Amino acid sequence: MNTPVTSGTSQAWAALGADSSLLDRVSYGGPSGGLPARLPVMELARATVAVCSLAAAELTSVRTGRPVPRVRVDDEAVATAFLGDRLARVDGRAWSTFSPLSRFWRAADGWVRTHANYPHHRARLLTALGVPGVAGEEAVDRVTQAIAGLTALEVEEIVYAAGGLAVAARSPEDWAKSEQGVMAAGQPLLTAARIDDAPDRMLGAAALPCAGLRVLDLTRVLAGPVATRTLALLGADVLRIDAPQLPESQEAHNDTGMGKRSTTLDLGEAADRRLFEELLGEADVVVAGYRPGALERFGLTPEALAERRPGLVIAQLSAWGRYGPWHERRGFDSLVQVATGIAELEGSPDSPGTLPAQALDHGTGYLLAAGVLRALTEQHRTGGTRLVRLALTQTAHWLVHDLARAPGEDEGFDAEHWLTETDSPMGRLRHALPPVSYEGCPVNWARPPGLWGTDAPVWGGAHQ
């Protein structure tokens, strides 16, 4: 397939506030059958990777002084990357990305989906449903019984009140009529703004668009780490920081930790907070993926960050958006699919369904990286601290209401063409190659992921 620029790419590039004339630098190819769905998931995937690649090419032109390189989007590479968390292996061993308590359950009047991959979320779910401390098959049986005796909305409210995660399955119509759905529908795909008059940061000559840039990665799970993994591919020094008291899956990090280093700091402890402020004082980009309010309590609002480090690019990601009654709720891709009606659209009369990949996470991740890259380009031209914001619900609205299927989405697919193996501290790692591509773009990350949380909290790996 070799099609002209798709409408999805045009829409996303316009949302980034970019020069439409650059779209003629983009071309497509490769089989497109890797993400079969009723909704135009493949179009979402190719469009988000296309604009990320084009934004990287645009910034490369800024750094090199040469014309914007051409972008080639291969659908097979894109589909493989969107399935990368499921295709990754260590020494041939696969792992489950969802726990037995992260699934659909039948309530008294419909369906509910829960998310309990983390131990603290699992404990809160069980406590909310009146079955604390159980495990294994007994936990599944007891949760089944508890949810069957409640309405879907009752489960949602009870579990969220306890700090857990559960969402009632809604139809697209019900979501569109809800207060949160109405507000999400009124939002653009993303927002990008200049928030002060900090002087421009002149980027020096470099072959890679993010060479010499330092990125504080305050993200977890998938969308945010996909974005920062992409910035690492493009030359950035990315340091992921997690709270030591919040457990993280090494298996997830095997997929999303490519090219980065990872450390832990407790921002509630004075010594760790001083280390964080030192890192912030030399950062160029801060990417935050926690729910609204989680980082703000540490004084990490965009305005406060801009005051302490003028000229930053700040990128914020959330599940439900920074508006409406759900703005402080925790959320994940699977739950956003259920709330917004995607699960109903992809399901059957007997049960809800799912997208063929965690496409909201992956797609939003590439959009987030594109937003950072475009902010760096605009900042180089006119200065200012820049703020980029995205939400999974806004990506979901785009998928359901604005995108259309492109030709060729029933072609064959072979992920093996876009998988490779590399040695890592965990063993021989099989992983997807990056789908972001332009003339001169790296074809793989410069380093494999390491053991989560074990790097020193310094820039550049000086104490590795």
Side-chain angles (χ1 to χ4, degrees), residues 377-464:
T377 294
E378 293 299 330
Q379 184 185 70
H380 175 83
R381 292 169 175 164
T382 61
T385 302
R386 302 283 171 159
L387 175 61
V388 181
R389 281 178 170 163
L390 296 93
L392 298 186
T393 47
Q394 290 159 214
T395 305
H397 183 86
W398 186 48
L399 172 65
V400 173
H401 296 284
D402 298 327
L403 291 178
R405 296 178 67 88
E409 292 191 7
D410 57 351
E411 297 180 22
F413 169 72
D414 184 359
E416 294 298 324
H417 293 161
W418 296 95
L419 293 171
T420 192
E421 291 189 354
T422 187
D423 290 323
S424 77
M426 294 72 65
R428 189 69 174 168
L429 174 65
R430 185 183 83 167
H431 64 90
L433 288 166
V436 171
S437 179
Y438 60 87
E439 292 173 344
C441 182
V443 298
N444 203 349
W445 287 272
R447 55 181 292 150
L451 296 172
W452 173 82
T454 60
D455 290 296
V458 296
W459 290 116
H463 301 295
Q464 285 185 309

Side-chain angles (χ1 to χ4, degrees), residues 159-456:
V159 173
Y160 263 107
L165 294 109
V167 171
R170 292 164 169 81
S171 68
E173 294 76 20
D174 286 340
W175 173 252
K177 291 185 292 187
S178 70
E179 184 177 353
Q180 193 68 34
V182 168
M183 297 191 74
Q187 301 293 321
L189 178 58
L190 59 89
T191 59
R194 174 177 173 162
I195 63 174
D196 67 15
D197 293 322
D200 59 305
R201 290 191 177 186
M202 297 303 294
L203 299 172
L208 293 179
C210 294
L213 298 177
R214 291 171 166 173
V215 178
L216 276 181
D217 179 1
L218 310 180
T219 71
R220 290 169 64 81
V221 191
L222 200 49
V226 164
T228 52
R229 178 183 71 183
T230 303
L231 299 177
L233 172 76
L234 300 172
D237 180 7
V238 179
L239 180 63
R240 174 169 164 171
I241 299 176
D242 287 89
Q245 63 270 29
L246 289 179
E248 183 55 289
S249 161
Q250 178 64 46
E251 287 77 13
H253 190 62
N254 292 344
D255 175 49
T256 60
M258 302 296 299
K260 312 178 196 176
R261 291 175 300 112
S262 166
T263 193
T264 60
L265 292 175
D266 185 347
L267 298 187
E269 296 291 333
D272 281 6
R273 183 56 186 264
R274 283 195 297 272
L275 283 172
F276 177 83
E277 292 295 331
E278 290 173 6
L279 292 166
L280 175 63
E282 296 182 316
D284 301 288
V285 178
V286 175
V287 183
Y290 289 77
R291 64 190 174 91
L295 293 176
E296 284 81 351
R297 63 194 176 99
F298 295 110
L300 300 180
T301 64
E303 294 75 18
L305 289 169
E307 183 176 344
R308 303 209 292 281
R309 180 66 167 156
L312 271 176
V313 169
I314 303 161
Q316 294 182 319
L317 164 74
S318 61
W320 308 108
R322 294 175 174 267
Y323 44 79
W326 286 26
H327 74 280
E328 290 191 344
R329 287 195 176 190
R330 299 170 177 87
F332 295 92
D333 181 311
S334 59
L335 302 182
V336 174
Q337 290 186 39
V338 170
T340 58
I342 290 173
E344 179 177 293
L345 293 171
E346 293 292 336
S348 69
D350 298 325
S351 65
T354 61
L355 297 177
Q358 295 186 72
L360 303 181
D361 264 336
H362 283 276
T364 305
Y366 290 112
L367 286 174
L368 186 63
V372 170
L373 294 165
R374 288 245 60 255
L376 288 165
T377 294
E378 293 299 330
Q379 184 185 70
H380 175 83
R381 292 169 175 164
T382 61
T385 302
R386 302 283 171 159
L387 175 61
V388 181
R389 281 178 170 163
L390 296 93
L392 298 186
T393 47
Q394 290 159 214
T395 305
H397 183 86
W398 186 48
L399 172 65
V400 173
H401 296 284
D402 298 327
L403 291 178
R405 296 178 67 88
E409 292 191 7
D410 57 351
E411 297 180 22
F413 169 72
D414 184 359
E416 294 298 324
H417 293 161
W418 296 95
L419 293 171
T420 192
E421 291 189 354
T422 187
D423 290 323
S424 77
M426 294 72 65
R428 189 69 174 168
L429 174 65
R430 185 183 83 167
H431 64 90
L433 288 166
V436 171
S437 179
Y438 60 87
E439 292 173 344
C441 182
V443 298
N444 203 349
W445 287 272
R447 55 181 292 150
L451 296 172
W452 173 82
T454 60
D455 290 296

